[in-house]
Amino acid sequence: MNQQKTAIDGPVLHRSLSTSKIVFLVVAAAAPLAAMVGTVPLAFAIGNGAGVPATFAFASLTLLCFSVGYAAMSRRIVNTGGFYTYVARGLGRPTGVAAGLVGVIAYNTLTIGMVGAFGYFAQLVASSHGLRLPWEVWSALAIVVVGVLGYRQINVSARIMAVLTVAEVAILALLVIGIVGHLHGGALPAASFDPSKVLVPGLGVALMFAFMSFTGFESAANYGEEAPRPERSVPVATYAAVLLIGFFYTLTSWAAVGGVGATRLRDVAGQQLGDLFPNLSSTYVGSPATIAMQVLICTSLFGATLAMHNAANRYGYVLGRERVLPSWLGAVHRTHGSPYRASAVQTTLTILVVAAFAVGGLDPYTNLATTMLGLGTLAIVLLQAAAAASVIAFFRTRSDRHWWRTIVAPLLGCAGLLTTVVLLLVNFSLVTGTTAVVVNLLPLLLLLATVGGIAYGLWLRSARRQRYALLATVPVRDEPRPVARSVPSAAR
């Protein structure tokens, strides 16, 4: 079979993803239903209570500002490396190498954390209906299915995630309709957007949970090489993901405030936590919908696991293709057109980490999921902030720079994201749910990856100039494709 070639003279992935398929891939990565059930009650209880819907709206606007610059860059740069390539093109190749390594950590830990969360909730839901199996069995089942799907063509994953995403959005919509149908105007209380309710102690914690709930939407750029028209598909998918996720998070959390009551929301949410939304469903919609919600929480986590696995694969693939990581990771399956070796490595890593937690007798949710998801979320938000800064740097000397798209919007997005990084670092023990020193020192891994990546990039620049010249060399609209044998005289 003939394979297309890139600037680094290697096979590329199949161009088979439409815009709608990319939208489903990235929305599934955010796991809307699981985010609602898992993080919103915490934001109600220890955040700013009834002001959480306004916090989600603010997070949506901040990420839209980030998306403006991200979309502007994605129209000119198409590469499976996502953050790695954008940061390299904006802030220099050594910094890009660091971003690539942080991206590997981010999406691998998010995948592993999702496996733990899936095992926990699947065991909980199944046992409530008489099927009692340990969480390890459910997690192992998820790993096997995700591993098989990740090995195959991405279209298969996209179709599955389309069904799962539509189902979980539908159950959230049904809950909102049920609450509005019973309470009418009282379902959406004005208190949620009252500054005296929003700007209160706990706002920082609520902001942290809000931004955590969006994790995954930025992965549209990872599928650019697999879209026939990436300069259109990636920006549209990014905007669509932020708007859809932001709208449903804001509306659903707002209806939940009305369903519980703004005055007693903190107490009720603190008592019920993960049971809050199923209980709302039982009250306002009925038990069949609650059962469906319980099952869909599991499928939501499965969809997010699959989406994160695919994103992790593409980082391993592109860094292998460009020889930042071992080159054999950059192989593409002859039949499926998938990064099958990177997929196999990611699956193996997941097995090893989950098995270690299981052998150690640790809890799949309060130990495995919270630790891995906390570290992965911190890494993603840090990469988003770096990407926003890269947009400004990339366009600063270009004739097509624009005061809003390439300066002000990414600057606003960067400021909001850096604030979130600080909030996550300060509250990392709250995110992970433990005061264990070893767990709360995990962010140091990101610092080591950053310093090590920059050092490795600088070494490549001095000792392996041809390899260095090919890092992040991708086709850029209105710029010539670089030649593999050339070494730019002013390579950064």
Side-chain angles (χ1 to χ4, degrees), residues 450-474:
T450 300
V451 174
I454 291 173
Y456 184 41
L458 293 173
W459 176 81
L460 287 173
R461 185 169 69 181
S462 62
R464 298 289 186 272
R465 288 179 61 80
Q466 287 197 351
R467 279 174 58 188
Y468 181 82
L470 294 176
L471 298 180
T473 51
V474 295

Side-chain angles (χ1 to χ4, degrees), residues 370-371 374-375 378 424-445:
T370 56
T371 300
L375 180 60
L378 174 60
L424 284 167
L425 286 171
V426 171
N427 296 285
F428 195 71
S429 61
L430 180 63
V431 176
T432 59
T434 179
T435 57
V437 175
V438 174
V439 172
N440 291 306
L441 287 178
L442 283 175
L444 289 176
L445 287 176

Side-chain angles (χ1 to χ4, degrees), residues 107-363:
Y107 287 108
N108 276 280
T109 53
L110 287 170
T111 305
I112 294 166
M114 290 294 181
V115 167
F118 173 83
Y120 170 80
F121 279 100
Q123 178 193 35
L124 202 64
V125 172
S127 62
S128 68
H129 295 285
L131 180 58
R132 304 186 184 280
L133 294 173
W135 71 266
E136 292 90 346
V137 173
W138 294 109
S139 289
L141 178 63
I143 293 171
V144 170
V145 176
V146 166
V148 170
L149 291 172
Y151 190 91
R152 295 177 58 82
Q153 190 177 9
I154 189 68
N155 266 331
V156 180
S157 297
R159 293 188 189 101
I160 291 173
M161 282 186 275
V163 174
L164 299 182
T165 302
V166 169
E168 61 184 288
V169 168
I171 202 69
L172 288 175
L174 186 62
L175 175 61
V176 171
I177 292 170
I179 294 174
V180 171
H182 280 78
L183 302 180
H184 306 294
L188 303 173
S192 290
F193 291 87
D194 183 341
S196 65
K197 301 292 185 183
V198 178
L199 305 176
V200 297
L203 173 61
V205 174
L207 275 172
M208 176 188 70
F209 283 120
F211 279 96
M212 283 177 62
S213 301
F214 281 86
T215 300
F217 89 92
E218 75 295 325
S219 58
N222 293 68
Y223 304 104
E225 291 184 24
E226 297 166 83
R229 295 181 59 196
E231 70 283 351
R232 178 184 180 276
S233 294
V234 173
V236 170
T238 302
Y239 281 130
V242 175
L243 291 170
L244 285 170
I245 295 169
F247 174 77
F248 272 100
Y249 283 173
T250 303
L251 181 62
T252 307
S253 61
W254 196 6
V257 174
V260 176
T263 56
R264 62 193 194 98
L265 181 66
R266 285 182 182 273
D267 291 337
V268 173
Q271 293 167 5
Q272 298 183 7
L273 292 178
D275 290 326
L276 178 64
F277 277 88
N279 288 343
L280 283 171
S281 176
S282 295
T283 301
Y284 293 103
V285 185
S287 56
T290 303
I291 295 172
M293 178 178 285
Q294 291 173 335
V295 173
L296 288 170
I297 290 169
C298 299
T299 62
S300 176
L301 288 166
F302 174 80
T305 305
L306 180 56
M308 294 301 179
H309 174 81
N310 284 323
N313 292 348
R314 279 144 184 82
Y315 269 91
Y317 159 75
V318 77
L319 293 178
R321 187 181 70 180
E322 301 192 3
R323 299 174 66 189
V324 174
L325 294 178
S327 59
W328 54 268
L329 283 171
V332 173
H333 197 281
R334 291 182 177 277
T335 303
H336 302 305
S338 62
Y340 70 109
R341 287 182 182 171
S343 175
V345 169
Q346 202 290 312
T347 301
T348 302
L349 177 64
T350 302
I351 291 171
L352 292 175
V353 175
V354 172
F357 273 80
V359 170
L362 299 174
D363 187 84

